[in-house]
Coordinates of all heavy atoms in Angstrom, one line a residue:
M3 N 22.4 50.7 38.5 CA 23.3 49.8 37.9 C 22.5 48.7 37.1 O 21.5 48.2 37.6 CB 24.1 49.1 39.0 CG 25.2 48.2 38.5 SD 26.4 47.6 39.7 CE 26.8 49.0 40.7
P4 N 22.9 48.5 35.9 CA 22.2 47.5 35.0 C 22.2 46.1 35.6 O 23.1 45.7 36.3 CB 22.9 47.6 33.7 CG 23.7 48.8 33.7 CD 24.0 49.1 35.1
R5 N 21.2 45.3 35.2 CA 21.1 43.9 35.7 C 21.2 43.1 34.4 O 20.5 43.3 33.4 CB 19.7 43.7 36.3 CG 19.4 42.3 36.6 CD 18.2 42.1 37.4 NE 18.6 41.7 38.7 CZ 18.0 41.9 39.8 NH1 16.8 42.5 39.8 NH2 18.5 41.5 41.0
Y6 N 22.1 42.1 34.4 CA 22.4 41.2 33.3 C 22.0 39.8 33.6 O 22.1 39.4 34.8 CB 23.8 41.3 32.9 CG 24.2 42.7 32.4 CD1 24.9 43.6 33.3 CD2 24.0 43.1 31.1 CE1 25.2 44.8 32.9 CE2 24.3 44.4 30.7 CZ 24.9 45.2 31.6 OH 25.3 46.5 31.2
E7 N 21.5 39.1 32.7 CA 21.1 37.7 32.8 C 22.1 36.8 32.2 O 22.5 37.0 31.1 CB 19.7 37.5 32.2 CG 18.9 36.3 32.6 CD 17.5 36.4 32.1 OE1 17.3 36.8 31.0 OE2 16.6 35.9 32.9
Y8 N 22.4 35.7 32.9 CA 23.4 34.7 32.4 C 22.8 33.3 32.5 O 21.9 33.1 33.3 CB 24.7 34.8 33.3 CG 25.4 36.1 33.2 CD1 25.0 37.2 34.0 CD2 26.4 36.4 32.3 CE1 25.6 38.4 33.9 CE2 27.0 37.6 32.2 CZ 26.6 38.6 33.0 OH 27.3 39.8 33.0
R9 N 23.4 32.4 31.7 CA 23.0 31.0 31.8 C 24.3 30.2 32.0 O 25.3 30.4 31.3 CB 22.3 30.5 30.5 CG 21.9 29.0 30.6 CD 21.1 28.6 29.4 NE 21.8 28.8 28.1 CZ 22.8 28.0 27.6 NH1 23.2 27.0 28.3 NH2 23.3 28.3 26.5
C10 N 24.2 29.3 32.9 CA 25.3 28.4 33.2 C 25.3 27.2 32.3 O 24.2 26.5 32.2 CB 25.3 27.9 34.7 SG 26.6 26.8 35.1
R11 N 26.3 26.9 31.5 CA 26.3 25.8 30.6 C 26.3 24.4 31.3 O 25.6 23.5 30.9 CB 27.5 25.9 29.7 CG 27.3 27.1 28.7 CD 28.4 27.2 27.7 NE 28.2 28.2 26.7 CZ 29.1 28.8 26.1 NH1 30.4 28.5 26.2 NH2 28.8 29.8 25.2
P12 N 27.2 24.2 32.4 CA 27.2 22.9 33.0 C 25.9 22.5 33.7 O 25.4 21.4 33.6 CB 28.3 23.0 34.0 CG 29.2 24.1 33.5 CD 28.3 25.1 32.8
C13 N 25.2 23.5 34.5 CA 24.1 23.1 35.3 C 22.8 23.6 34.7 O 21.7 23.3 35.1 CB 24.2 23.5 36.7 SG 24.2 25.3 37.0
G14 N 22.8 24.5 33.7 CA 21.6 25.1 33.1 C 20.9 26.2 33.8 O 19.9 26.6 33.4
S15 N 21.4 26.5 35.0 CA 20.7 27.6 35.7 C 20.8 28.9 35.1 O 21.8 29.2 34.4 CB 21.2 27.6 37.2 OG 22.5 28.1 37.2
I16 N 19.8 29.7 35.2 CA 19.8 31.1 34.7 C 19.8 32.0 36.0 O 19.0 31.8 36.9 CB 18.5 31.4 33.9 CG1 18.6 30.5 32.6 CG2 18.4 32.9 33.5 CD1 17.4 30.6 31.7
F17 N 20.7 33.0 36.0 CA 20.9 33.9 37.1 C 21.1 35.3 36.6 O 21.4 35.5 35.5 CB 22.0 33.4 38.0 CG 23.3 33.3 37.4 CD1 24.3 34.3 37.5 CD2 23.7 32.2 36.6 CE1 25.5 34.3 36.9 CE2 24.9 32.2 36.0 CZ 25.8 33.2 36.1
E18 N 20.9 36.3 37.5 CA 21.1 37.7 37.2 C 22.2 38.3 38.1 O 22.4 37.9 39.2 CB 19.8 38.4 37.4 CG 18.7 38.0 36.6 CD 17.4 38.7 36.9 OE1 17.2 39.3 38.0 OE2 16.5 38.7 36.0
L19 N 22.9 39.2 37.5 CA 23.9 40.0 38.2 C 23.7 41.5 38.0 O 23.5 41.9 36.9 CB 25.3 39.6 37.8 CG 25.8 38.2 38.1 CD1 27.2 38.0 37.5 CD2 25.9 38.0 39.6
N20 N 23.9 42.3 39.0 CA 23.9 43.7 38.9 C 25.4 44.1 38.8 O 26.2 43.8 39.7 CB 23.4 44.4 40.1 CG 21.9 44.2 40.2 OD1 21.2 44.1 39.2 ND2 21.4 44.1 41.5
R21 N 25.8 44.7 37.7 CA 27.1 45.1 37.5 C 27.2 46.3 36.5 O 26.3 46.5 35.7 CB 28.0 44.0 37.0 CG 27.4 43.2 35.8 CD 28.3 42.1 35.2 NE 29.1 41.4 36.1 CZ 29.9 40.4 35.7 NH1 29.9 40.0 34.5 NH2 30.6 39.8 36.6
P22 N 28.3 47.1 36.6 CA 28.4 48.2 35.7 C 28.5 47.8 34.2 O 28.9 46.7 33.9 CB 29.8 48.8 36.1 CG 30.1 48.3 37.4 CD 29.4 46.9 37.5
M23 N 28.0 48.7 33.3 CA 28.0 48.3 31.9 C 29.4 48.0 31.4 O 29.6 47.1 30.6 CB 27.5 49.5 31.1 CG 26.0 49.7 31.3 SD 25.4 51.2 30.4 CE 25.5 50.6 28.7
A24 N 30.4 48.6 32.0 CA 31.8 48.3 31.6 C 32.2 46.8 31.9 O 33.1 46.3 31.3 CB 32.8 49.2 32.3
E25 N 31.5 46.2 32.8 CA 31.8 44.8 33.2 C 30.8 43.8 32.6 O 30.8 42.6 33.0 CB 31.8 44.7 34.7 CG 33.0 45.5 35.3 CD 32.9 45.4 36.9 OE1 32.3 44.5 37.4 OE2 33.6 46.2 37.5
S26 N 29.9 44.2 31.7 CA 28.8 43.4 31.2 C 29.4 42.1 30.5 O 28.7 41.1 30.5 CB 27.9 44.1 30.3 OG 28.6 44.5 29.1
S27 N 30.5 42.2 29.9 CA 31.1 41.1 29.2 C 32.1 40.3 30.0 O 32.7 39.3 29.5 CB 31.7 41.5 27.9 OG 30.8 42.1 27.0
A28 N 32.3 40.7 31.2 CA 33.3 40.0 32.1 C 32.8 38.7 32.5 O 31.6 38.5 32.5 CB 33.6 40.9 33.3
P29 N 33.6 37.7 32.7 CA 33.1 36.4 33.1 C 32.3 36.4 34.3 O 32.5 37.2 35.2 CB 34.4 35.6 33.4 CG 35.5 36.4 32.7 CD 35.1 37.8 32.6
A30 N 31.3 35.6 34.4 CA 30.4 35.5 35.5 C 30.4 34.1 36.1 O 30.3 33.1 35.3 CB 29.0 35.9 35.1
V31 N 30.4 33.9 37.4 CA 30.3 32.6 38.0 C 28.9 32.4 38.5 O 28.3 33.2 39.1 CB 31.3 32.6 39.2 CG1 31.2 31.2 39.9 CG2 32.7 32.8 38.7
C32 N 28.3 31.2 38.2 CA 26.9 30.9 38.6 C 26.9 30.7 40.1 O 27.9 30.4 40.7 CB 26.4 29.7 37.8 SG 26.7 28.1 38.5
P33 N 25.7 30.7 40.7 CA 25.5 30.5 42.1 C 26.1 29.1 42.6 O 26.4 28.9 43.7 CB 24.0 30.5 42.3 CG 23.5 31.4 41.2 CD 24.4 31.1 40.1
E34 N 26.2 28.1 41.7 CA 26.7 26.8 42.0 C 28.2 26.8 41.9 O 28.9 25.7 42.2 CB 26.1 25.7 41.1 CG 24.6 25.6 41.2 CD 24.1 25.2 42.6 OE1 24.8 24.3 43.2 OE2 23.1 25.7 43.0
G35 N 28.9 27.9 41.4 CA 30.3 27.9 41.4 C 30.9 27.6 40.0 O 32.1 27.7 39.8
H36 N 30.1 27.3 39.0 CA 30.6 27.0 37.6 C 31.0 28.3 36.9 O 30.3 29.3 37.1 CB 29.5 26.3 36.8 CG 29.0 25.1 37.4 ND1 27.7 24.9 37.8 CD2 29.7 23.9 37.8 CE1 27.6 23.7 38.3 NE2 28.7 23.1 38.3
E37 N 32.1 28.2 36.2 CA 32.6 29.4 35.5 C 32.2 29.5 34.0 O 32.4 30.5 33.4 CB 34.1 29.5 35.7 CG 34.5 29.7 37.1 CD 36.0 29.9 37.3 OE1 36.7 30.0 36.3 OE2 36.5 29.8 38.4
D38 N 31.7 28.4 33.5 CA 31.3 28.3 32.1 C 29.9 28.9 31.9 O 28.9 28.1 31.9 CB 31.4 26.9 31.5 CG 31.2 26.8 30.1 OD1 31.2 27.8 29.4 OD2 31.1 25.6 29.6
T39 N 29.8 30.2 31.7 CA 28.5 30.9 31.6 C 28.5 31.7 30.4 O 29.5 32.1 29.8 CB 28.2 31.7 32.8 OG1 29.2 32.7 32.9 CG2 28.2 30.9 34.1
V40 N 27.3 32.0 29.9 CA 27.1 32.9 28.8 C 26.0 34.0 29.1 O 25.1 33.7 29.8 CB 26.6 32.0 27.5 CG1 25.3 31.3 27.8 CG2 26.6 32.9 26.3
K41 N 26.3 35.2 28.7 CA 25.4 36.3 28.9 C 24.2 36.1 27.9 O 24.4 35.9 26.7 CB 26.1 37.6 28.7 CG 25.2 38.8 29.1 CD 25.9 40.1 29.1 CE 26.0 40.6 27.7 NZ 26.4 42.0 27.6
L42 N 23.0 36.3 28.4 CA 21.8 36.2 27.6 C 21.4 37.5 27.0 O 21.7 38.6 27.7 CB 20.6 35.6 28.4 CG 20.9 34.2 29.0 CD1 19.7 33.8 29.8 CD2 21.2 33.2 27.9
L43 N 20.8 37.5 25.9 CA 20.3 38.8 25.3 C 19.0 39.0 25.8 O 18.1 38.2 25.8 CB 20.2 38.6 23.7 CG 19.8 39.8 23.0 CD1 20.7 41.0 23.1 CD2 19.7 39.4 21.5
S44 N 18.8 40.2 26.4 CA 17.5 40.6 27.1 C 16.8 41.5 26.2 O 17.4 42.5 25.7 CB 17.8 41.2 28.4 OG 18.5 40.3 29.3
A45 N 15.5 41.3 26.0 CA 14.6 42.2 25.3 C 14.0 43.2 26.4 O 13.5 42.7 27.4 CB 13.6 41.5 24.5
V46 N 14.0 44.4 26.1 CA 13.4 45.4 27.0 C 12.2 46.1 26.4 O 12.2 46.5 25.3 CB 14.5 46.5 27.3 CG1 13.9 47.5 28.3 CG2 15.7 45.9 27.9
A47 N 11.1 46.0 27.1 CA 9.9 46.7 26.7 C 9.9 48.1 27.4 O 10.1 48.2 28.5 CB 8.7 45.9 27.1
V48 N 9.6 49.1 26.6 CA 9.6 50.5 27.1 C 8.2 51.1 26.8 O 7.8 51.3 25.7 CB 10.7 51.3 26.4 CG1 10.7 52.7 27.0 CG2 12.0 50.7 26.6
G49 N 7.5 51.4 27.9 CA 6.3 52.2 27.9 C 5.3 51.8 26.8 O 5.5 50.9 26.1
G50 N 4.2 52.6 26.7 CA 3.2 52.4 25.7 C 2.3 51.3 26.0 O 2.4 50.6 27.0
S51 N 1.3 51.2 25.1 CA 0.2 50.2 25.3 C -0.2 49.7 23.9 O -0.4 50.6 23.0 CB -0.9 50.7 26.1 OG -2.0 49.8 26.1
A52 N -0.4 48.4 23.7 CA -0.8 47.9 22.4 C -2.3 48.4 22.1 O -2.7 48.4 21.0 CB -0.7 46.4 22.4
S53 N -3.0 48.7 23.2 CA -4.4 49.1 23.0 C -4.6 50.6 22.8 O -5.7 51.1 22.8 CB -5.3 48.6 24.1 OG -4.9 49.1 25.3
A54 N -3.5 51.4 22.8 CA -3.6 52.8 22.7 C -4.2 53.2 21.3 O -3.8 52.6 20.3 CB -2.2 53.5 22.9
P55 N -5.1 54.2 21.3 CA -5.7 54.6 20.0 C -4.6 55.3 19.1 O -3.7 55.9 19.6 CB -6.8 55.5 20.4 CG -6.4 56.0 21.7 CD -5.6 54.9 22.4
A56 N -4.8 55.1 17.8 CA -3.9 55.8 16.9 C -4.2 57.3 16.9 O -5.4 57.6 17.0 CB -4.1 55.2 15.5
P57 N -3.3 58.1 16.6 CA -3.5 59.6 16.6 C -4.4 59.9 15.4 O -4.3 59.3 14.3 CB -2.2 60.2 16.4 CG -1.2 59.1 16.2 CD -1.8 57.8 16.5
S58 N -5.4 60.8 15.6 CA -6.3 61.2 14.5 C -5.7 62.3 13.7 O -4.8 63.0 14.2 CB -7.6 61.6 15.1 OG -7.5 62.7 15.9
G59 N -6.1 62.5 12.5 CA -5.7 63.7 11.7 C -5.0 63.2 10.5 O -5.3 62.1 9.9
G60 N -4.1 64.0 10.0 CA -3.4 63.9 8.7 C -3.1 62.5 8.1 O -2.9 62.5 6.9
G61 N -3.2 61.4 8.7 CA -3.0 60.2 8.1 C -1.6 59.8 7.8 O -1.3 58.8 7.2
G62 N -0.7 60.7 8.2 CA 0.8 60.4 7.9 C 1.4 59.9 9.2 O 0.8 59.6 10.2
G63 N 2.7 59.9 9.1 CA 3.5 59.4 10.2 C 3.9 60.5 11.2 O 4.7 60.3 12.1
G64 N 3.4 61.7 11.1 CA 3.7 62.8 11.9 C 5.0 63.5 11.4 O 5.5 63.2 10.3
G65 N 5.4 64.4 12.2 CA 6.6 65.2 11.7 C 6.2 66.1 10.6 O 5.0 66.1 10.1
C66 N 7.1 66.8 10.0 CA 6.8 67.8 9.0 C 6.3 67.1 7.7 O 5.3 67.4 7.2 CB 8.1 68.6 8.7 SG 7.8 69.8 7.3
C67 N 7.0 66.2 7.2 CA 6.7 65.6 5.9 C 5.5 64.6 6.0 O 4.8 64.3 5.1 CB 7.8 64.8 5.3 SG 9.1 66.0 4.8
G68 N 5.2 64.1 7.3 CA 4.1 63.2 7.4 C 2.8 63.9 7.9 O 1.8 63.4 7.9
G69 N 3.0 65.1 8.3 CA 1.9 65.9 8.9 C 1.3 66.9 8.0 O 0.3 67.6 8.3
G70 N 1.7 67.0 6.8 CA 1.1 67.8 5.8 C 1.6 69.3 5.7 O 1.0 70.1 5.1
C71 N 2.6 69.6 6.4 CA 3.1 71.0 6.4 C 4.0 71.3 5.2 O 4.3 72.4 4.9 CB 3.8 71.4 7.7 SG 5.3 70.5 8.0
C72 N 4.5 70.3 4.5 CA 5.3 70.5 3.3 C 4.4 70.7 2.1 O 3.4 69.9 1.9 CB 6.2 69.2 3.1 SG 7.4 69.0 4.4
G73 N 4.7 71.6 1.3 CA 3.9 72.0 0.2 C 4.0 71.1 -0.9 O 3.5 70.8 -1.9

């Protein structure tokens, strides 16, 4: 189940809720009981490493047209 982050406008607290995607936009009540909350936009990092070496070879972006197989 996805985890969503919310911020309470009256008290400023930031909290998380686990809820189905279908309920991601539903109102959320903060732990202090305030109902005036807003869902925060979360950035997700997926795999990889900034220090990973670049692939060697063709000098293109890969794939057919970047890999030199197109005549």
Side-chain angles (χ1 to χ4, degrees):
M3 189 171 312
R5 172 173 252 154
Y6 297 97
E7 196 171 38
Y8 298 84
R9 182 178 53 83
C10 177
R11 290 181 177 156
C13 70
S15 68
I16 294 176
F17 60 99
E18 297 177 342
L19 291 177
N20 292 327
R21 49 176 34 178
M23 290 176 70
E25 295 177 19
S26 68
S27 296
V31 178
C32 89
E34 300 296 321
H36 303 119
E37 296 181 11
D38 186 10
T39 61
V40 62
K41 185 172 83 164
L42 301 177
L43 181 62
S44 300
V46 178
V48 179
S51 171
S53 62
S58 61
C66 179
C67 295
C71 65
C72 298

